[in-house]
Amino acid sequence: MEPRECNILVVEDDPDINRLLCRVLEGAGYPCRPAFSGSEAVLWAEQYNYDLVLLDLMLPGLTGEEFIAQMRRRKTMPIIVLSAKAGLEDRVNVLRLGADDFIPKPFDNVEVLARVEAQLRRYKQFDREGGGAVLVHGDLTLDKEGVHVTAAGQTVALTAREFHILTLLMEHPKKVFTREQLYEQVWGGEYFGDDNTVNVHISNLRSKLAKASPKEYIKTIWGIGFKLAD
C-alpha cells in the first residue's frame, strides 16, 4: 500500500513568509494549509489531522505559545516553531510547552525543509514501529500500538516525543542513554551539543509521571545521561 502524503499546517501571519514556506514545502511534495492567526490554526487543526505544524509565535489573537498548549492537550503531531524570539529562554519555554524543534528567524529555506523532513521521518517511523508490544517495568506500562502509558494505574498523557523517549528507555531498561543518543534516535538529526532540547523533554516527561506517582521512574546518571530507574 502506498504511504499517504504528509499534510502540513503553516501558521504565519505574514502573507509573504507564509507563501514562501508553503512554496518550499509543496515543492518537496508536502501539501500545505496556510493559517494566518492562532485562532484560525486551532480551527484547522481541530478539523483535520495534520502530520506537522510549522508555527510562528507572534500571531494575532491566540499566540503561538497558547496554540501549542491547546494542541498538546489532545494532539501529538510534531510542532516546529519559527520565531524571531530566538533567546535561550524563548527556546526553552516553547520546548517545555511541547514544541519539538525551534528555528530562529531569519531562516534558511533548506534548513527548514531538512528539519521538517527529519521530524516527519521520525514521526512516521515511530508510528510504523507500533508492533502491538506492551512494555512493563514495575508499575509503569507502555502500550506501543495503543500509544498509551500508565504509571501506578494512572493514565499519563504524553506527546509523541515524550512517548518515544520513554519507549526507548523501557525497551532497554539497563542501558544508560547519553543526550546525544537520545537526540539522534528521537529527533532523527545530528546532535550539535545543545542539551536543552533533551533536558526539557526529560523534565516534562518526569513531571507528568510524577503526577501519577511520586516514585522515580527516570534516573539521571550524572555526567553521562539517563536510564530507567531500577
Side-chain angles (χ1 to χ4, degrees), residues 7-61:
N7 294 281
I8 297 174
L9 181 63
V10 178
V11 191
E12 164 64 65
D13 64 322
D14 183 311
D16 293 330
I17 297 177
N18 198 314
R19 202 159 35 240
L20 169 66
L21 289 166
C22 288
R23 194 166 66 240
V24 168
L25 295 167
E26 286 174 343
Y30 301 110
C32 292
R33 164 85 66 184
F36 301 94
S37 72
S39 312
E40 183 190 2
V42 168
L43 289 173
W44 286 123
E46 287 179 342
Q47 200 169 347
Y48 299 101
N49 285 321
Y50 291 95
D51 297 281
L52 183 139
V53 179
L54 209 49
L55 177 72
D56 184 29
L57 288 182
M58 291 182 276
L59 297 165

Side-chain angles (χ1 to χ4, degrees), residues 95-115:
L95 292 169
R96 282 209 173 104
L97 284 172
D100 297 282
D101 204 352
F102 188 105
I103 304 174
K105 289 181 176 178
F107 54 82
D108 179 85
N109 296 350
V110 175
E111 182 186 6
V112 171
L113 182 58
R115 287 185 184 238

Side-chain angles (χ1 to χ4, degrees), residues 76-127:
T76 61
M77 74 289 197
I79 297 174
I80 300 179
V81 167
L82 278 165
S83 181
K85 292 162 69 176
L88 177 62
E89 195 176 329
D90 297 304
R91 295 205 307 274
V92 169
N93 184 40
V94 296
L95 292 169
R96 282 209 173 104
L97 284 172
D100 297 282
D101 204 352
F102 188 105
I103 304 174
K105 289 181 176 178
F107 54 82
D108 179 85
N109 296 350
V110 175
E111 182 186 6
V112 171
L113 182 58
R115 287 185 184 238
V116 163
E117 290 183 329
Q119 291 291 345
L120 288 172
R121 190 164 55 243
R122 295 305 303 169
Y123 191 55
K124 290 299 160 193
Q125 181 184 345
F126 183 49
D127 277 355

Side-chain angles (χ1 to χ4, degrees), residues 39-224:
S39 312
E40 183 190 2
V42 168
L43 289 173
W44 286 123
E46 287 179 342
Q47 200 169 347
Y48 299 101
N49 285 321
Y50 291 95
D51 297 281
L52 183 139
V53 179
L54 209 49
L55 177 72
D56 184 29
L57 288 182
M58 291 182 276
L59 297 165
L62 197 76
T63 67
E65 289 92 342
E66 290 166 336
F67 173 83
I68 295 169
Q70 278 202 31
M71 285 303 101
R72 285 307 182 228
R73 289 181 199 132
R74 55 195 177 279
K75 300 272 189 179
T76 61
M77 74 289 197
I79 297 174
I80 300 179
V81 167
L82 278 165
S83 181
K85 292 162 69 176
L88 177 62
E89 195 176 329
D90 297 304
R91 295 205 307 274
V92 169
N93 184 40
V94 296
L95 292 169
R96 282 209 173 104
L97 284 172
D100 297 282
D101 204 352
F102 188 105
I103 304 174
K105 289 181 176 178
F107 54 82
D108 179 85
N109 296 350
V110 175
E111 182 186 6
V112 171
L113 182 58
R115 287 185 184 238
V116 163
E117 290 183 329
Q119 291 291 345
L120 288 172
R121 190 164 55 243
R122 295 305 303 169
Y123 191 55
K124 290 299 160 193
Q125 181 184 345
F126 183 49
D127 277 355
R128 288 197 303 272
E129 286 171 354
V134 174
L135 304 172
V136 179
H137 186 82
D139 65 8
L140 191 60
T141 303
L142 183 146
D143 179 350
K144 289 170 70 178
E145 187 173 10
V147 192
H148 186 254
V149 172
T150 61
Q154 302 291 312
T155 295
V156 183
L158 302 178
T159 68
R161 206 69 55 208
E162 292 157 2
F163 190 87
H164 198 166
I165 291 170
L166 187 58
T167 302
L168 268 179
L169 295 175
M170 289 184 71
E171 283 177 336
H172 309 278
K174 300 294 183 191
K175 179 178 170 66
V176 179
F177 285 88
T178 65
R179 289 169 179 81
E180 180 177 4
Q181 287 169 332
L182 284 174
Y183 188 87
E184 290 181 350
Q185 291 198 51
V186 175
W187 278 263
E190 188 179 347
Y191 181 73
F192 294 109
D194 177 8
D195 289 342
N196 284 305
T197 301
V198 175
N199 289 348
V200 168
H201 280 77
I202 289 281
S203 173
N204 287 349
L205 179 53
R206 275 181 166 145
S207 66
K208 288 178 179 182
L209 291 169
K211 285 176 184 170
S213 169
K215 72 174 62 170
E216 181 186 43
Y217 290 102
I218 299 170
K219 192 173 184 64
T220 299
I221 309 300
W222 293 108
I224 305 174

